[in-house]
Amino acid sequence: MKYTTQMDAARKGIVTPQIKTVARKENMRTEDLMERMARGAVIIPANRNHVNLDPEGVGEGMRIKINVNLGISKDCSAIESELDKVRAALDLKAEAIMDLSCYGKTREFRRRLVEMSPAMIGTVPIYDAVGFYDKNLQDITVDEFFDVVERHVEDGVDFLTIHCGLNRHTAEKVKQSKRLTNIVSRGGSLLFTWMEINQAENPFYEHFDRLLDICEEYDVTLSLGDGCRPGCLHDATDACQVEELITLGELTKRAWERNVQVMIEGPGHMAMNEIPGNMMMEKRLCHGAPFYVLGPLVTDVAPGYDHITAAIGGAIAGMSGADFLCYVTPAEHLRLPTLEDMKEGIIATRIAAHAADVAKGYPGSRAWDDAMSKARAALDWPGMFDLAMDPVRPRQYRESSKPEHEDSCTMCGKMCAVRNMNRVLDGKDIQLDD
């Protein structure tokens, strides 16, 4: 029996290699996985041209996945340095990489990225369109926008971020609103500008079926971008954001009718108390589709530390229903991240994702923490390092400040609570003085 997409296969009862792999990774019955895929609650982004993909599931009942943004730009166009970041991201177990390249040899970078990466790959084609055609934004035609989309999917990209929900009606809401930061989505702002100058509808909204044709042909997942995501706490959960979300829910149902997999992108900046309600609202308005969030960043006053503000929000979002976390680095709002910035962002986001998995009771997640606790109780330093999310840094800290006694550290020395409890419970004497 033939199928067009992973969703189509699930609806027809066909167990694809990708479905089999994800079921094994998630320790889930294939029948349960396929039921969730059939109704759109789980996606497996898997472009048929991405031949070395190690597929992952995103959505209901899945372990929370993380995404890493990178790519070349006019100011930082060195392909090899960005590929070094790709290798590091894969080593740090990122499940997805988004290529946000917008200038230079973007297709060469994208093709090399797809070729080397077993992680799923996403792109935002409108970024590439501006640099590729090398002409004013307003002069790019509808056909040219779609030609870039086709180029990306031909190259093997697994999911596309397209800001289809920012139509002219919502654009009017933006102009009437009293937002402090207007539109902060790069893709959203480009489409808003194109619509305003040309007095035309968003081409991806107006010609949504054409976009679905492309996605269906290559089995590409559509990541419906949030052009009106809040760029500060003040703008969170306003009419612009909610109206666009309603439109994305309508587009989701149209995509599912064509067996095209969908995930929804969300905020942005948002106070902690608003996050659970936003997660519930998205799931309701978008019919249970997987939710992909940037942060959310829970305060606006920590530039240089936004990987922390995002990890706080990401943990709350994940616990409340978000399925996919986009990393944020310390360089957010400031510059293209360095390799070290990227590592900091990945670890912070992985911490948030794992903390949310523990809170939700994802099978096996607590066992990792329990294993670490046992190693700590036994003062098994090598065991602790092996179990650490990032084994490198704890080893470096330990080596940089060696204690007098191997069964302690330089913080507590002989007053180490764990050491002394172990000794007294074993009936040994405790000598605190030298």
Side-chain angles (χ1 to χ4, degrees):
M1 188 181 297
K2 294 183 178 180
Y3 64 91
T4 54
T5 68
Q6 296 296 319
M7 175 180 255
D8 185 39
R11 288 173 167 175
K12 291 177 176 176
I14 302 171
V15 181
T16 67
Q18 294 84 359
I19 290 174
K20 185 179 293 185
T21 297
V22 170
R24 174 182 53 79
K25 286 183 176 182
E26 302 285 346
N27 195 25
M28 177 180 290
R29 294 172 64 244
T30 55
E31 295 84 356
D32 294 337
L33 174 59
M34 292 166 72
E35 184 277 328
R36 295 173 191 185
M37 293 177 65
R39 56 184 167 86
V42 171
I43 58 172
I44 301 179
N47 186 323
R48 61 183 87 258
N49 287 350
H50 191 176
V51 294
N52 67 329
L53 175 70
D54 185 10
E56 297 283 357
V58 178
E60 182 183 310
M62 306 284 105
R63 178 176 53 82
I64 295 173
K65 309 306 188 299
I66 75 162
N67 172 71
V68 171
N69 290 339
L70 42 76
I72 56 175
S73 66
K74 189 168 186 177
D75 291 321
C76 300
S77 58
I79 288 178
E80 293 304 325
S81 65
E82 288 303 293
L83 291 177
D84 285 340
K85 293 180 187 177
V86 173
R87 297 181 186 96
L90 296 174
D91 288 343
L92 289 169
K93 302 180 181 179
E95 289 89 5
I97 295 173
M98 282 202 77
D99 172 17
L100 305 186
S101 296
C102 58
Y103 181 83
K105 298 179 179 179
T106 56
R107 192 167 204 186
E108 176 187 343
F109 177 75
R110 183 169 59 252
R111 285 177 164 175
R112 290 180 65 181
L113 170 62
V114 171
E115 182 180 4
M116 72 185 290
S117 174
M120 53 184 159
I121 304 299
T123 60
V124 188
I126 193 171
Y127 297 175
D128 192 25
V130 175
F132 178 79
Y133 291 114
D134 193 24
K135 61 182 183 180
N136 291 330
L137 172 65
Q138 64 265 27
D139 296 329
I140 299 176
T141 67
V142 171
D143 286 339
E144 286 173 333
F145 278 130
F146 278 94
D147 285 346
V148 170
V149 171
E150 293 203 53
R151 189 178 302 112
H152 282 225
V153 298
E154 287 171 0
D155 291 342
V157 169
D158 302 294
F159 64 95
L160 297 171
T161 291
I162 309 283
H163 300 83
C164 306
L166 181 55
N167 55 25
R168 294 198 72 184
H169 181 71
T170 303
E172 286 301 313
K173 290 278 188 185
V174 173
K175 290 191 286 186
Q176 296 165 10
S177 74
K178 300 298 182 181
R179 280 189 156 196
L180 292 183
T181 53
N182 295 311
I183 291 178
V184 299
S185 160
R186 195 189 334 175
S189 68
L190 291 172
L191 282 169
F192 181 91
T193 301
W194 188 91
M195 288 189 288
E196 283 293 295
I197 293 176
N198 290 296
Q199 288 297 293
E201 183 57 274
N202 178 342
F204 297 112
Y205 177 78
E206 184 174 11
H207 305 284
F208 189 63
D209 285 327
R210 182 175 177 180
L211 183 61
L212 295 180
D213 289 340
I214 297 170
C215 292
E216 184 181 23
E217 179 181 357
Y218 291 88
D219 194 3
V220 170
T221 297
L222 195 53
S223 186
L224 293 175
D226 52 337
C228 292
R229 72 170 183 264
C232 63
L233 302 190
H234 176 274
D235 297 344
T237 324
D238 68 355
C240 306
Q241 178 195 339
V242 175
E243 177 136 352
E244 183 184 31
L245 191 61
I246 292 170
T247 301
L248 296 183
E250 295 167 353
L251 296 176
T252 295
K253 295 182 78 172
R254 288 176 59 185
W256 287 346
E257 290 172 359
R258 298 283 301 277
N259 292 310
V260 172
Q261 299 183 107
V262 171
M263 62 180 164
I264 309 297
E265 298 187 13
H269 294 235
M270 183 168 289
M272 290 190 293
N273 60 300
E274 294 186 54
I275 294 173
N278 267 260
M279 302 304 109
M280 181 175 66
M281 177 173 63
E282 182 280 335
K283 291 287 184 174
R284 182 79 175 195
L285 294 178
C286 296
H287 321 293
F291 201 22
Y292 172 30
V293 297
L294 177 68
L297 283 72
V298 296
T299 180
D300 299 329
V301 297
Y305 301 92
D306 276 331
H307 60 311
I308 297 173
T309 66
I312 294 169
I316 298 170
M319 180 182 68
S320 305
D323 307 289
F324 196 18
L325 304 183
C326 186
Y327 92 147
V328 172
T329 77
E332 184 78 7
H333 305 110
L334 302 171
R335 68 172 188 200
L336 187 76
T338 64
L339 181 59
E340 190 57 36
D341 293 331
M342 187 196 72
K343 290 178 179 179
E344 292 285 333
I346 290 174
I347 294 300
T349 309
R350 284 191 62 202
I351 291 169
H354 176 66
D357 283 337
V358 170
K360 293 195 301 183
Y362 180 82
S365 57
R366 179 66 70 89
W368 185 7
D369 293 79
D370 290 345
M372 176 65 82
S373 298
K374 291 175 182 177
R376 281 185 172 143
L379 293 170
D380 176 7
W381 301 100
M384 287 185 254
F385 300 150
D386 290 342
L387 286 163
M389 190 173 289
D390 172 20
V392 175
R393 180 167 290 184
R395 283 194 178 98
Q396 290 174 339
Y397 279 141
R398 177 75 175 172
E399 290 299 319
S400 70
S401 185
K402 299 290 285 185
E404 179 184 357
H405 301 280
E406 186 61 27
D407 60 351
S408 66
C409 75
T410 54
M411 178 70 180
C412 300
K414 283 189 174 183
M415 295 179 67
C416 173
V418 175
R419 172 182 182 272
N420 290 335
M421 286 300 298
N422 288 345
R423 291 178 68 87
V424 74
L425 291 173
D426 286 341
K428 296 178 181 178
D429 187 27
I430 298 175
Q431 297 289 336
L432 297 182
D433 61 342
D434 291 327

